[in-house]
Amino acid sequence: MNIFRLAGDMTHLASVLVLLLKIHTIKSCAGVSLKTQELYALVFATRYLDIVTDFISVYNTVMKLIFLGSSFSIVWYIRHHRVVRRSYDKDQDTFRHYLLMIPCMLLALFVHEKFTFKEVMWTFSLYLEAVAILPQLVLLQRTRNIDNLTGQYVFLLGAYRGLYIFNWIYRYFTEPHFVHWITWIAGVVQTLLYADFFYYYFESWKNNVRLQLPA
Amino acid sequence: CYQTNSKDEL
């Protein structure tokens, strides 16, 4: 475990906490894309199939349980919570899941390291995670007033991906045979999707104005 | 351990 990896995981954890804070405390999911949250739940469900077959560390297992539990409970909150569900921007959150899921599944079936169920699912989760933020970014673009917590949530998620790239660079130079093309390319694509958001996030922060993405 | 290296990530 290096500092970039730890910082990345903590940023990821922070993003989830910020989102849960918004949903649980303010009882609002305004500006949060249910589509993205459902895709993340699917990402973790398909990636962490090894939680029952391989033991890596207590840290690893606990974090996996946190990400699985939080992603499914966020989806539950938005769909079923009596108060929270009323704040969901259903008419704005129109991105169609299958446009992302089907190409990712096809790609995972053809481009993978090993053709086993677990490995193809793991690869599918990497491809899907890379694009899962898209419905959220589209929703942000349609939302005129992005509240602070939603902006911070997306910023923390983007920071987590950026830190993972530094983690891979570090591991490449410190560990023998650490070459993972699929993980790296999917991770870089994922981080690049945040570039535009980061630009406007820092602009709004610098000028001390409310975050707004141009349509 | 080439295969398991990145599987320890989240």
Side-chain angles (χ1 to χ4, degrees), chain A residues 2 10 21-22 37 52 63 79 97 99 102 104 116 122 125 128 137 147 150 156 165 169 190 196 209 212:
Chain A
N2 59 69
M10 291 305 118
L21 178 81
K22 176 180 157 88
Q37 296 306 319
V52 283
M63 292 294 269
R79 279 182 166 277
H97 302 89
L99 287 180
I102 294 171
C104 287
T116 62
W122 184 79
S125 82
L128 191 63
L137 292 175
D147 65 276
T150 310
L156 287 166
I165 291 180
I169 295 170
Q190 186 175 358
D196 195 52
V209 293
Q212 216 178 60

Side-chain angles (χ1 to χ4, degrees), chain A:
Chain A
M1 175 85 71
N2 59 69
I3 188 70
F4 303 110
R5 163 75 198 283
L6 185 65
D9 285 351
M10 291 305 118
T11 317
H12 190 189
L13 196 60
S15 75
V16 172
L17 290 178
V18 164
L19 189 55
L20 279 171
L21 178 81
K22 176 180 157 88
I23 291 176
H24 191 85
T25 315
I26 306 169
K27 295 275 183 285
S28 163
C29 64
V32 177
S33 167
L34 174 63
K35 306 293 172 94
T36 284
Q37 296 306 319
E38 286 177 336
L39 290 175
Y40 279 136
L42 184 61
V43 163
F44 297 130
T46 48
R47 183 172 308 166
Y48 299 158
L49 290 173
D50 65 353
I51 199 168
V52 283
T53 56
D54 302 276
F55 177 77
I56 294 158
S57 65
V58 173
Y59 171 83
N60 198 277
T61 305
V62 170
M63 292 294 269
K64 281 175 178 171
L65 288 173
I66 291 175
F67 290 133
L68 276 170
S70 58
S71 61
F72 278 91
S73 53
I74 289 166
V75 169
W76 181 86
Y77 258 112
I78 302 176
R79 279 182 166 277
H80 303 294
H81 189 279
R82 172 174 67 80
V83 182
V84 176
R85 70 171 186 210
R86 276 187 238 141
S87 57
Y88 171 50
D89 306 322
K90 196 180 175 182
D91 301 329
Q92 304 270 18
D93 190 25
T94 52
F95 205 103
R96 286 181 289 264
H97 302 89
Y98 63 86
L99 287 180
L100 299 175
M101 281 156 62
I102 294 171
C104 287
M105 186 45 91
L106 289 174
L107 193 60
L109 284 170
F110 291 106
V111 185
H112 47 250
E113 282 183 20
K114 260 192 303 181
F115 192 63
T116 62
F117 178 71
K118 220 166 75 176
E119 191 69 21
V120 170
M121 283 307 183
W122 184 79
T123 313
F124 167 70
S125 82
L126 288 179
Y127 296 149
L128 191 63
E129 188 188 358
V131 292
I133 195 66
L134 287 174
Q136 179 65 67
L137 292 175
V138 168
L139 182 59
L140 283 189
Q141 215 163 48
R142 290 175 177 172
T143 312
R144 281 295 103 211
N145 287 312
I146 302 166
D147 65 276
N148 285 335
L149 286 178
T150 310
Q152 275 155 19
Y153 166 68
V154 178
F155 172 75
L156 287 166
L157 266 183
Y160 140 63
R161 292 317 310 182
L163 285 161
Y164 254 66
I165 291 180
F166 288 104
N167 154 58
W168 294 326
I169 295 170
Y170 181 89
R171 293 188 77 169
Y172 177 78
F173 288 108
T174 54
E175 290 176 32
H177 316 298
F178 190 78
V179 179
H180 297 283
W181 288 112
I182 293 175
T183 317
W184 294 349
I185 292 169
V188 169
V189 167
Q190 186 175 358
T191 312
L192 287 176
L193 293 182
Y194 288 90
D196 195 52
F197 171 84
F198 275 142
Y199 174 79
Y200 291 105
Y201 185 86
F202 284 119
E203 282 291 300
S204 80
W205 180 72
K206 200 174 70 187
N207 304 324
N208 205 16
V209 293
R210 201 174 253 285
L211 176 61
Q212 216 178 60
L213 304 186

